[in-house]
Amino acid sequence: GFDIPDELLRSHIGTTVENSKRLMLNHFGPEFDFDAIRNDRLDKARRHIEENGTPLKPGLRELLAYLDKEGIKTAVASSNDERIVLFHLEHAALGHEFDAIVCGDKVKKGKPEPDIFLAALAELAGQKISADECLILEDSYNGIIAAHRAGIRSVMIPDLLPPTPEIEKLFFRKVDTLTDVISLLESLNS
């Protein structure tokens, strides 16, 4: 029974549950039962994924195979809660082990704050990886802003949101698909 404007929906991409709840309550007021609506949405999504698997972005399997072959460390830094991230990874059948997984419920502030990327970098730091050796792959404005604030180069792979002029000033490169990240990495290594 609530008409949710597209702009409001887009503002939730790449942010934490707490930020989403705040945005919705600010827009609709306290009568908006965020928790009930979110739980209903999560239940529908869970059933769909259990039946069909986690949808993958084009080029993800090829990129992960390349990263494995090259021995490049990988991390997931998602604004979602850990149980949701692990559920999606389990149903994605990637056959890839990530070197770090940091989720929104494990940091104080979610994207667009840099906490989640700094936490992922800290987990990778034990493996002798520094910020200048990292690339963050992002499709959300909040993620690009968080990467910029963390001082880590980001690559935007637009999905639902095309880059705005303001966002273009913050990322290192833009590519069309995850497969394009392979040629970007090869050009950076040469």
Side-chain angles (χ1 to χ4, degrees):
F2 290 91
D3 181 26
I4 303 175
D6 286 343
E7 184 177 319
L8 180 60
L9 284 175
R10 285 191 294 271
S11 70
H12 293 255
I13 297 172
T15 194
T16 62
V17 174
E18 292 78 23
N19 285 340
S20 289
K21 185 173 188 173
R22 182 184 48 75
L23 289 167
M24 296 302 268
L25 292 176
N26 285 346
H27 184 82
F28 291 113
E31 70 277 1
F32 186 82
D33 191 347
F34 177 85
D35 295 324
I37 293 169
R38 179 175 184 267
N39 288 337
D40 183 53
R41 181 188 61 79
L42 289 175
D43 187 52
K44 289 176 182 173
R46 179 190 49 77
R47 285 194 312 264
H48 178 79
I49 289 168
E50 285 175 345
E51 293 172 16
N52 303 293
T54 299
L56 301 179
K57 291 188 181 279
L60 178 61
R61 289 190 192 285
E62 295 82 359
L63 175 59
L64 291 175
Y66 172 82
L67 296 172
D68 279 343
K69 180 179 72 107
E70 296 297 317
I72 297 173
K73 302 293 182 189
T74 58
V76 172
S78 173
S79 293
N80 276 308
D81 293 348
E82 183 177 45
R83 67 182 173 80
I84 294 171
V85 171
L86 296 178
F87 173 81
H88 281 284
L89 288 173
E90 176 187 337
H91 288 83
L94 293 173
H96 178 83
E97 293 294 322
F98 291 91
D99 297 288
I101 298 176
V102 180
C103 303
D105 55 343
K106 303 299 180 192
V107 295
K108 285 188 179 186
K109 295 180 183 174
K111 300 173 191 176
E113 297 306 319
D115 300 30
I116 200 156
F117 292 134
L118 295 174
L121 180 60
E123 285 202 27
L124 294 174
Q127 300 169 39
K128 309 274 191 268
I129 296 173
S130 63
D132 61 337
E133 296 174 295
C134 292
L135 281 180
I136 293 173
L137 308 180
E138 261 297 342
D139 64 351
S140 76
Y141 299 159
N142 286 322
I144 294 294
I145 294 166
H148 179 75
R149 289 177 176 172
I152 304 172
R153 293 177 295 176
S154 62
V155 176
M156 185 169 194
I157 305 103
D159 185 16
L160 300 174
L161 305 171
T164 65
E166 296 80 21
I167 292 297
E168 287 178 349
K169 294 175 186 173
L170 303 179
F171 59 69
F172 173 65
R173 293 276 198 288
K174 178 185 92 57
V175 297
D176 295 324
T177 69
L178 290 170
T179 306
D180 298 330
V181 174
I182 296 169
S183 55
L184 173 62
L185 289 170
E186 288 174 340
S187 71
L188 290 173
N189 286 331
S190 62

